[in-house]
Structure formats: C-alpha cells, structure tokens
Amino acid sequence: MSHYETIVRELLYQLADDNFIHSYRGSEWLGLAPHIEEDVAFSSISQDTMGHASIYYQLLEKLLEVPVDEISHNRKPEEFRNAILLEEVNGPGDYLNSPKYDWAFTVVRHLFFNIFKDIRLQSLNQSSYEPLVHAARKIQTEQYYHLMHWKTWFYQLMSSTEEARSRMEQAIYRVWRDFGGVLTLGKYGGEMSDLKLIAPEAQLKEEWLNQIQQLFSEVDFTIKDDPGMEKGNGRNGEHTSDLVDALNVLSEVYISDEEAVGW
Amino acid sequence: MEVIHYRELTDEEKYEHFMERIENDEKIEAGDWMPDEYRKALIKLISSHGASEIMGALPEKEWVPKAPTIDRKLSIMAKVQDEMGHGQLLLRVAEDLLKPMGKNREDLLQDLFSKKLKFHNVFHMPSPTWADAAIIAWLVDGAAILTQTMLLKTSYGPYGRALKRICQEESFHAKHGESLVLALASGTEKQKQMLQESLNRWWEPLLMFFGPKSTKDIGHSSVDINMKYKIRFKTNEELRQEFLTKYVEKIQLLGLTIPDETICFDEEKQEWIYQQPDWKKFKQVVSGNGPRSDARISLRRDSYDESEWVREALSDYKNKNQSLVG
Ligand SMILES: [Fe+2]
Ligand SMILES: [Fe+2]
C-alpha cells in the first residue's frame, strides 16, 4: 500500500467510524423519543447516517480488499478512529433496560456534530481522492434536512422554559469539553491536508467555530474557551469503555457464529 | 336529489340513514354523523391497532443495533421506523374520533400505560434471538398483512386511507422478513437451529394473533359489531385459515418443522385442522400479563415520563410564538 493510500485509509476510518457510532447512538433512541413524530423523524436520520457509514466502509472495502462487515463488525476498539464524544452513552441505563436518556445532550451532540459534518463534506468535495468526492456529494444531499431538524430543536429548547434552557446549557458545556476530539484529524492530520485529501484541521475548526458563534448569538449564549479533548483523541485510537460496550452490542450477532457465511 | 337536514331528524332516522350509507358501501368520514356504537367500535379497533404498531416496534428494536451486518442494520431500521410511522398515522385517525368525546393522544398513551388500551398478543412475547427478528418480520408481519388487507375496504374512510399506505409498506416488510429467514434457513446448523427454536416459540402466538374462533373461547367479541358496520369483512377463523394456507407449505419448504403434529389440511371440509392454542393464556397475555408486557410498557412509560420536560418546553415555545404573532 502506497503512502498516499495509507493516509486515505486513516481518513476513511474517521469518516466511516464517526457515522457508524453516531448512528448507533441514535438508533438506541428508537421508540423512546419525546413524541411519536420525533421517533419517526429521528430514526430516519439515524438510518441515513448508517447509510453514510456504509458508503465510507465500501470505499475501505475496495482499498483493503476486506468485506464491509468485517471492517465494521470485527475490529478491535483501538482500531476505531471515531471521536470519543460520539461513542459516549446517551445517558445512564442501556437501551433495553430502564434507559434514562438525555434529550438535551442528544440534541446538542447531534447539532454540533452535523454542523461539523457539513463543513467536512464541503471540504471533501474538493478532495484529491476522487472516490471521496463522489461519496461526499451523495451524502450532502441528505445533510440539509438533518441540520434543519436539529437546529429547530436547538432553537426551540433554548428559547422556552427555564428548565429546558438550563438542561441545554449543561449539555452544551458537556459536549464542549470533548468536541475538540471531533475537530481534530489526529496524528496524520498534517499529511491529510498536505496530500489535499481534506482542508487543514485549523481551517475546519475555524469554520466550525464561526458557525457555532453565529448559532449562539441567535439564542443569546456565549462560551469563552476553545472546545476541549478531555477524554482523549479517538483519531489516534484512544477510546473509553463506552466504545467497547457499544461494539459488543453492534457485533454480538455477527461474531456469534464463526462458521456463518451469510446473515 | 333529496336534501336531508340532519338537525331535523330524530336519532332513529339518522341511524337509518347511516345504515343505508353502510349498505351502499359509502365511506364514512370523520365529520359525519355516526352512531355511538360505530364510533366506539372504531376507536377500540384503531387505537389498539395504533398501539400494536408502536409496541410492535419494541421487540424488533431490541435487535436494531445488533443486526449482524450493515445492510441488515439498514433494513431493520427502515422497517421499525415504518412501524412507528404506522402508529403515528393510526393514532391520528383515532384522535379525530376521540375529539368529540373530549379526549386526545395523551389519554390514549395513559390508557396504554395503565393497560386499558390493549395491543396484539404477539408484542407481549420475548424476542431473545436474532432469529426472532426474522420470524417476526416474516410471519407476524405476514399475519398482519392478511388482517390489514381485509380491512382495506373498511367503511370508515380515514382508516381505509391509512391502511392503504400501511399495506404498501408492509410488502417491503414481508420481503425483508423473507430474506432474513432465508439466510438463516440456508446457513449453518447453529443458524438453522436458532430459526427452528424461534418458530417453536412463535407458533402459538401466531395462531392466537387472529383471535379466538368463537366468542365462547374468551367470553366476548367485537367481531360481530365490526362486521355489521362493514368495518371488517372476515372472521378470525377465516383469516387464520388464510394464514395457514399461505404459510404452512412455505415454512416446511425451508426445512423447518411446525411444532404441531396434528396439523393437516382436511380435503373434505376444505380447512386446516390444527392444535388449538390455549385461549386462557391468550386472554391473560392481551390483558397485559404476558412474559414481556410489564417490561415493554414500562420502557415506554418511563421514557415518556423522562421527556416530560421536552413536551412542556415545546408547548411553552408554541404559546410564546403564538402570542408574538397574535
Ligand atoms: Fe405495521
Ligand atoms: Fe410491518
């Protein structure tokens, strides 16, 4: 594998794993959303997101000559490149037993990530790696609706009851503490932008901060510090036990029968 | 053409006119006059159909994150999402019927939590393996398709229109289920065994799904009223017979064994002979005392309570913005 391909692979893992884990956390909400209309809309979004992961895993499949499902369902946690923020649980309890999920955290995490995802896709639109350009264009068509959805939730909850406002602010602080892990491109970031695969990390981050400031100003909110990376850098293979648990659930059936050739 | 002024008619005359419309296969709409008995029968049928869709999403939801491959994850997500959508559609139809009685969706959900609003027996059952997701999509949906297709011609217009959309999506569910079952049936010994065990678990609940043959079995039935008003057109037993005709051979062709040694087709009577399910158990299950009833209902109720603040915030936001406009 050429050096170029090695770096492409690193980037593809970030893109695929971000969407895979993010979709999983979304799908845990199925049937539990605040109202039935939201359940339907949210699960459509999680499904699209899983579709995006699939598009990136297919690019990896071609590159690595390893089947999509082996890549997505049979890798060790330290081989995952998603941001740690995205693997964090939705709240205490698991999705089968008395989940106490946090809707405010979900709204903020989804919105902030989707703003970044949008910026990242725009940059991938000019990538030197042709297959990524096609993938990005395909995914972008669904992005507009997702962003609108979470923005609506954000505005409404930020400008309603006191309780909602305070829950949302708590959620923003919590997401902020680790959003740096979403914004980073990891240890190969410099090479990624040198090879024109994606814009430099600093540029992506600046654009994101601009959009977030804009958003905050509309709801009369400010935050001084830069987003942190308290729990570590998932782009370099650092992860929490939340990912280990998530992967156990995601792969439970796939790895339950080693002889199985099809599912 | 004769113009009838409803206000001038006695209740009896209204009823007669209504029944004439039913006899002529006219569709009744939400704003039309209807006898209480008709309204109540519709509310009971449609709200429990809606509740079944919503509660029916739960046993499969358990397998959404665990679906073995990316493609399976995508298709089961799409399927469960459809079921939630069906629930939404049906609850809206039920809500319109409830309005004149001063009730709304909140009441329906509270009735669901307190077990007053019943849902299908199958969704009270456990789904402990991936094969259950397969059997549910193939056979439970298969059974539901038969019932829902029968209801398509229902005399209540809004219900019929909702069902039309539901049935279109159901054909995708059946394909999804067939594909899951086929993969396991043609897989390893372990996969085949998992599938067989799941069929064993689901066979009795599947027979129960259509309801008892005669009112004797559980003591009461709304089937007669529903037939009188052309809300439905077939009896429980007719539907069950249809189900057996459609699936028994298919199941056997997959190499699976139906857990009923007595099952056979009686050529003379032109009907299936089968082991009767335990109707006492059925009654218990649908009253909310099935193996997973409490767990699933409390999953719904707790998550609903947990997001109370969100619904409060939404209505607060709506009020604020209305007063700004007004
Ligand atoms: Fe359905
Ligand atoms: Fe279905």
Side-chain angles (χ1 to χ4, degrees), chain A residues 65-100:
Chain A
E65 289 169 15
V66 176
V68 164
D69 293 313
E70 272 298 299
I71 302 171
S72 51
H73 288 74
N74 207 2
R75 249 182 319 146
K76 295 192 193 76
E78 61 270 24
E79 290 167 333
F80 274 72
R81 295 290 179 264
N82 61 282
I84 287 181
L85 177 72
L86 304 179
E87 74 200 33
E88 267 186 58
V89 294
N90 293 314
D94 72 57
Y95 77 102
L96 297 173
N97 292 304
S98 17
K100 294 213 176 304

Side-chain angles (χ1 to χ4, degrees), chain A:
Chain A
M1 188 172 285
S2 69
H3 178 67
Y4 181 77
E5 278 176 356
T6 309
I7 304 301
V8 167
R9 188 187 59 190
E10 278 296 320
L11 178 60
L12 284 175
Y13 274 132
Q14 293 183 15
L15 300 167
D17 293 343
D18 270 1
N19 282 289
F20 187 58
I21 297 300
H22 188 57
S23 163
Y24 163 65
R25 287 299 176 208
S27 76
E28 283 188 306
W29 270 99
L30 238 171
L32 309 174
H35 51 71
I36 295 163
E37 281 73 9
E38 176 58 22
D39 243 326
V40 178
F42 192 4
S43 68
S44 156
I45 289 174
S46 301
Q47 201 186 307
D48 286 346
T49 310
M50 186 57 76
H52 302 166
S54 172
I55 291 173
Y56 292 127
Y57 282 131
Q58 283 170 41
L59 296 184
L60 277 163
E61 179 180 70
K62 283 205 196 97
L63 204 63
L64 305 171
E65 289 169 15
V66 176
V68 164
D69 293 313
E70 272 298 299
I71 302 171
S72 51
H73 288 74
N74 207 2
R75 249 182 319 146
K76 295 192 193 76
E78 61 270 24
E79 290 167 333
F80 274 72
R81 295 290 179 264
N82 61 282
I84 287 181
L85 177 72
L86 304 179
E87 74 200 33
E88 267 186 58
V89 294
N90 293 314
D94 72 57
Y95 77 102
L96 297 173
N97 292 304
S98 17
K100 294 213 176 304
Y101 287 173
D102 182 347
W103 187 247
F105 175 61
T106 294
V107 169
V108 174
R109 171 162 69 175
H110 269 78
L111 176 59
F112 287 16
F113 173 64
N114 272 287
I115 290 175
F116 177 72
K117 184 170 161 179
D118 199 44
I119 294 165
R120 188 164 69 180
L121 284 167
Q122 279 171 31
S123 168
L124 293 174
N125 234 322
Q126 279 113 51
S127 176
S128 64
Y129 190 61
E130 204 44 37
L132 254 182
V133 178
H134 296 296
R137 291 200 180 138
K138 216 188 282 176
I139 294 169
Q140 264 175 325
T141 56
E142 287 168 346
Q143 208 38 35
Y144 176 76
Y145 164 71
H146 296 187
L147 259 175
M148 276 305 297
H149 183 84
W150 297 115
K151 266 188 190 159
T152 306
W153 269 110
F154 185 81
Y155 288 135
Q156 294 189 346
L157 293 180
M158 284 297 275
S159 20
S160 56
T161 60
E162 248 173 64
E163 182 182 5
R165 176 81 185 199
S166 116
R167 280 176 186 261
M168 287 295 283
E169 289 185 358
Q170 290 310 310
I172 295 175
Y173 291 126
R174 184 172 157 204
V175 166
W176 204 258
R177 281 200 290 276
D178 276 292
F179 207 84
V182 177
L183 298 171
T184 172
L185 291 171
K187 59 183 169 198
Y188 300 106
E191 282 158 284
M192 286 175 192
S193 57
D194 288 348
L195 293 168
K196 305 262 181 291
L197 290 170
I198 190 168
E201 184 179 304
Q203 198 181 316
L204 296 170
K205 183 177 163 186
E206 195 191 302
E207 177 61 26
W208 184 80
L209 280 169
N210 279 342
Q211 291 195 29
I212 290 289
Q213 289 314 339
Q214 172 70 31
L215 185 77
F216 282 172
S217 69
E218 286 171 62
V219 290
D220 199 16
F221 183 79
T222 46
I223 209 164
K224 280 200 298 296
D225 309 316
D226 259 15
M229 198 157 52
E230 286 183 9
K231 295 200 174 105
N233 193 337
R235 311 293 187 210
N236 296 342
E238 296 164 16
H239 292 286
T240 64
S241 62
D242 283 356
L243 180 70
V244 179
D245 296 342
L247 295 179
N248 282 338
V249 172
L250 283 158
S251 312
E252 183 185 302
V253 180
Y254 182 76
I255 61 169
S256 67
D257 187 347
E258 279 172 17
E259 255 115 71
V261 284
W263 283 100

Side-chain angles (χ1 to χ4, degrees), chain B residues 50-70:
Chain B
S52 294
E53 298 282 358
I54 287 165
M55 296 308 288
L58 294 182
E60 281 176 288
K61 170 222 153 94
E62 295 170 13
W63 292 98
V64 165
K66 298 181 179 179
T69 66
I70 292 243

Side-chain angles (χ1 to χ4, degrees), chain B residues 100-230:
Chain B
M101 306 172 84
K103 285 185 163 188
N104 58 24
R105 183 177 306 182
E106 177 67 26
D107 298 303
L108 281 179
L109 288 172
Q110 293 308 331
D111 283 353
L112 175 65
F113 300 153
S114 67
K115 299 185 179 175
K116 218 175 108 191
L117 174 55
K118 310 261 189 290
F119 56 94
H120 266 308
N121 70 298
V122 282
F123 305 126
H124 296 263
M125 305 310 286
S127 51
T129 70
W130 170 245
D132 295 83
I135 293 284
I136 291 174
W138 189 41
L139 295 178
V140 173
D141 279 60
I145 288 171
L146 293 176
T147 325
Q148 292 173 6
T149 308
M150 173 270 287
L151 288 164
L152 272 175
K153 285 186 298 174
T154 186
S155 59
Y156 189 56
Y159 190 35
R161 290 191 290 274
L163 282 162
K164 199 174 156 203
R165 197 173 132 194
I166 290 173
C167 285
Q168 281 163 357
E169 294 183 345
E170 287 300 340
S171 63
F172 153 74
H173 299 178
K175 276 192 207 109
H176 157 81
E178 231 170 63
S179 165
L180 294 188
V181 165
L182 218 64
L184 295 176
S186 56
T188 64
E189 280 314 308
K190 209 169 155 186
Q191 286 173 311
K192 284 182 199 164
Q193 193 192 339
M194 178 164 75
L195 187 62
Q196 179 66 55
E197 283 167 5
S198 171
L199 178 68
N200 297 349
R201 262 192 299 279
W202 285 93
W203 188 251
E204 193 183 37
L206 276 164
L207 292 182
M208 287 175 174
F209 177 87
F210 299 98
K213 188 173 185 170
S214 79
T215 51
K216 274 183 304 204
D217 294 319
I218 56 164
H220 66 88
S221 167
S222 45
V223 177
D224 298 344
I225 296 174
N226 289 343
M227 302 261 278
K228 174 174 92 182
Y229 289 122
K230 295 195 186 172

